[in-house]
Amino acid sequence: MQDENKKLTRLNPQLEITHLDPEKRVGLIVVLTGYGKGKTSSALGMVFRACGHGMKVCMIQFMKGDIFTGEWEAVKKIDCDVEIVPTGMGFCGIQGNPYSHAMHREAAQRALALAKERIISGEYGLIVLDEINNAVHLKLVDLDQVLDLLKSKPPLLHLILTGRDAAPEIVGLADTVSEVREVAHAYRKGIEPQPGIDF
């Protein structure tokens, strides 16, 4: 393992570090949606940040599961209480995915049950429901199921929902919503997905 002193280099070590401590702690609902690249990447940034605050974290991936992605290896290398659970069978209906809608729905329903279990446990500081917005849009999970999940959230739990096509009802319950807009994408130039950037 790399020496921890070499993992952080401060160019202004003379500056005193301020640690913020909100008067009132609140668990936020954050929605990351839109057609641009970076929704899961943004959520992973918050996972990394939560790790630095000593929070217990779980990311449940509703679509990913059939194509390797770098965060699966990265989570093994960081010394944090972070769990990633790929539950999906790939992106339903695209990229030649061979599984039926019924099989995708069954997997997504299992993911939802796991999410509910993790949420109501009260053990986590941050839970990411990766691509759950897509799962709702594709009718792999029902909107009412997700709304019930959000309403069952413990008061201090941060909950992040990613994926394009976030339902207005989900957006309405969120504290913070970011819409990622595509300005340009390498894929449109015929460039294949690249390790470390796209997966």
Side-chain angles (χ1 to χ4, degrees):
M1 184 111 153
Q2 187 179 5
D3 178 7
E4 70 178 49
N5 293 326
K6 293 182 181 175
K7 288 189 175 188
L8 175 66
T9 304
R10 294 182 60 220
L11 293 183
N12 295 299
Q14 75 281 9
L15 293 179
E16 185 178 333
I17 301 296
T18 301
H19 290 264
L20 300 178
D21 189 19
E23 279 186 34
K24 182 179 179 188
R25 289 191 178 260
V26 178
L28 301 177
I29 296 175
V30 177
V31 173
L32 303 169
T33 193
Y35 280 73
K37 185 232 175 304
K39 297 172 291 291
T40 297
S41 302
S42 176
L44 284 165
M46 287 182 262
V47 166
F48 189 64
R49 194 170 269 173
C51 158
H53 284 281
M55 294 180 184
K56 185 172 183 176
V57 179
C58 180
M59 173 182 259
I60 299 171
Q61 296 182 315
F62 277 73
M63 296 288 178
K64 296 174 182 87
D66 64 334
I67 297 173
F68 174 82
T69 185
E71 60 263 25
W72 297 351
E73 280 303 307
V75 74
K76 298 174 190 175
K77 296 177 181 182
I78 60 174
D79 187 21
C80 288
D81 197 355
V82 176
E83 169 190 35
I84 297 178
V85 186
T87 63
M89 301 180 71
F91 284 86
C92 180
I94 63 169
Q95 298 173 341
N97 187 280
Y99 304 106
S100 69
H101 186 272
M103 293 170 79
H104 280 284
R105 182 170 168 90
E106 183 181 332
Q109 290 295 318
R110 286 196 309 268
L112 197 68
L114 177 65
K116 183 173 186 178
E117 177 187 305
R118 295 288 195 273
I119 287 168
I120 64 174
S121 75
E123 296 177 16
Y124 293 84
L126 172 65
I127 295 178
V128 180
L129 306 178
D130 188 38
E131 306 288 1
I132 195 167
N133 295 324
N134 301 50
V136 171
H137 183 72
L138 294 168
K139 301 191 181 334
L140 304 179
V141 296
D142 302 328
L143 176 59
D144 285 346
Q145 290 179 299
V146 178
L147 296 176
D148 288 346
L149 204 60
L150 297 181
K151 291 171 185 170
S152 71
K153 179 187 89 60
L156 297 180
L157 172 66
H158 298 304
L159 198 53
I160 302 173
L161 295 82
T162 75
R164 51 181 65 184
D165 298 310
E169 296 88 343
I170 291 173
V171 169
L173 288 176
D175 300 292
T176 300
V177 180
S178 292
E179 184 173 7
V180 182
R181 183 174 66 88
E182 180 183 317
V183 175
H185 199 299
Y187 180 76
R188 309 241 182 257
K189 297 178 183 176
I191 300 171
E192 297 175 273
Q194 297 297 304
I197 299 294
D198 296 303
F199 62 91

